[in-house]
Amino acid sequence: MASSSKFDEIALLKTKLKEYCGLTFEGQRDSYLRQKLENRVATLQMSSITQYYQHLLFADPNKEEWQNLINEVTINETYFFREKQQMDILLKTVMPQLVRSREPLRQIRILSAACANGAEAYSLAILLQNLKLGERWRIEIEGMDINQKNVEAARRAIYNESDLRSIDPLVKVVFFERQDTHYILSPAIAKTVRFFPMNLLNFAGLQKMAPYQVIFCRNVLYYFDIPTRERIIQSLAESLTADGYLFVGQTEFIGELSIPFKMYREVDAVFYKKVNTILVNNKER
């Protein structure tokens, strides 16, 4: 009977997690969730998942433990210049077109959604130094994540060797200061990126932060079921201006979804453009 009760409570927690942040925990991710729940049970020195579930329901009025659980199950591994081919497309194809189309405004806003520890957002900030647009242009980069610990880590901008495993040695020397086993990002780069906590399913909240011209939402969509993915993609589309671009993970093909984007491919990388305009030979028409 105890085992059956435990399974029921895990099923209820799965439902609550899906309702709150859209994440599904089926197949191999079922055991992942169970391990994370056991971690929280041990941390709180509780006797069982049953007790933990009751705690979430009746003894967590400020939702502090609920946020701790969210933090526990949304730890995503990332590193600087991951899937760099897409970042090169941003630099060589997308940004020149945005600079031309947005010359009157001279402002470009970029969002790193589900930014984890900030490595992606800071990679973009480092890369865009190559544009040398000068003070006439205002380039804003923001990062958002549901995991508050991720947001805090991103703001600290302190990384380990693994986080920098794909970075060019010269970039490491120029933009990072080594202290013992850690690397501190240059304050000149760190101050150019703003991070804030937000749930990808907080569609109204994202609309308040919009509009953006470029959104990176990579290596996170496969954690959601298809209906939730479509809702997220639609929300991202609504957060982009008419000339906006979307980058998702290289293994996250979204062409089968009902989405307002057209896919383009360059070399070994894919990116999406809002359907208001199309590209012909990498030029808008």
Side-chain angles (χ1 to χ4, degrees):
M1 291 297 293
S3 177
S4 175
S5 174
K6 179 178 177 180
F7 291 151
D8 289 344
E9 282 141 7
I10 290 178
L12 290 169
L13 282 168
K14 285 182 181 180
T15 299
K16 288 178 68 67
L17 285 165
K18 188 174 187 300
E19 289 174 352
Y20 180 70
C21 56
L23 298 177
T24 57
F25 294 92
E26 305 303 329
Q28 293 182 340
R29 284 181 57 76
D30 177 89
S31 58
Y32 171 85
L33 175 60
R34 292 171 189 273
Q35 181 58 59
K36 296 301 183 180
L37 290 171
E38 295 289 357
N39 290 349
R40 294 309 305 160
V41 168
T43 298
L44 296 175
Q45 297 182 330
M46 293 182 176
S47 61
S48 65
I49 290 178
T50 298
Q51 184 183 1
Y52 181 70
Y53 180 72
Q54 295 297 319
H55 176 82
L56 287 175
L57 286 183
F58 305 114
D60 189 31
N62 297 322
K63 303 297 183 184
E64 292 181 7
E65 180 53 32
W66 179 248
Q67 184 60 53
N68 288 335
L69 177 59
I70 295 296
N71 291 347
E72 187 79 23
V73 301
T74 57
I75 298 174
N76 296 320
E77 192 270 351
T78 190
Y79 49 90
F80 277 79
F81 295 100
R82 184 178 183 180
E83 297 179 353
K84 187 174 180 293
Q85 304 97 317
Q86 290 182 315
M87 297 186 180
D88 289 337
I89 288 174
L90 173 71
L91 179 66
K92 298 174 183 178
T93 299
V94 170
M95 289 299 291
Q97 291 183 11
L98 287 175
V99 167
R100 287 195 296 271
S101 66
R102 302 188 65 78
E103 174 64 31
L105 297 175
R106 294 179 181 173
Q107 180 186 35
I108 296 173
R109 301 186 69 226
I110 301 172
L111 174 66
S112 171
C115 66
N117 65 5
E120 176 180 82
Y122 287 135
S123 295
L124 298 176
I126 292 171
L127 192 70
L128 294 183
Q129 297 290 304
N130 295 310
L131 285 178
K132 303 186 186 304
L133 293 175
E135 296 182 356
R136 297 186 309 120
W137 278 83
R138 184 177 176 184
I139 309 297
E140 298 179 4
I141 302 175
E142 297 180 334
M144 56 170 269
D145 200 282
I146 192 174
N147 188 321
Q148 291 183 351
K149 288 186 177 180
N150 282 349
V151 173
E152 292 166 5
R155 289 170 177 166
R156 286 194 298 271
I158 300 175
Y159 297 94
N160 58 40
E161 191 73 52
S162 178
D163 297 324
L164 275 60
R165 62 183 179 270
S166 291
I167 206 166
D168 182 274
L170 180 59
V171 171
K172 184 189 292 187
V173 170
V174 172
F175 293 103
F176 292 86
E177 177 186 348
R178 182 166 185 172
Q179 288 192 0
D180 298 323
T181 60
H182 294 89
Y183 294 83
I184 301 174
L185 181 65
S186 163
I189 294 295
K191 71 179 183 181
T192 66
V193 183
R194 187 175 79 90
F195 295 96
F196 56 92
M198 185 173 290
N199 185 345
L200 264 178
L201 267 59
N202 183 358
F203 303 132
L206 184 56
Q207 287 301 304
K208 292 178 181 178
M209 306 305 298
Y212 297 96
Q213 284 67 58
V214 180
I215 295 179
F216 278 72
C217 185
R218 304 193 301 171
N219 304 303
V220 67
L221 291 174
Y222 45 62
Y223 292 124
F224 304 100
D225 60 22
I226 290 178
T228 305
R229 285 181 216 170
E230 288 189 338
R231 290 168 58 205
I232 291 172
I233 294 297
Q234 183 62 47
S235 171
L236 297 178
E238 293 171 0
S239 302
L240 284 167
T241 51
D243 55 351
Y245 296 83
L246 173 67
F247 290 84
V248 299
Q250 289 290 73
T251 61
E252 296 176 313
F253 178 69
I254 60 175
E256 78 280 7
L257 303 179
S258 176
I259 56 171
F261 289 99
K262 181 175 177 61
M263 184 182 78
Y264 294 91
R265 181 182 296 276
E266 280 194 14
V267 192
D268 297 323
V270 166
F271 65 108
Y272 295 82
K273 189 170 192 339
K274 211 171 170 180
V275 294
N276 306 75
T277 55
I278 63 172
L279 295 179
V280 177
N281 296 325
N282 292 327
K283 294 182 179 180
E284 291 190 8
R285 190 173 83 177

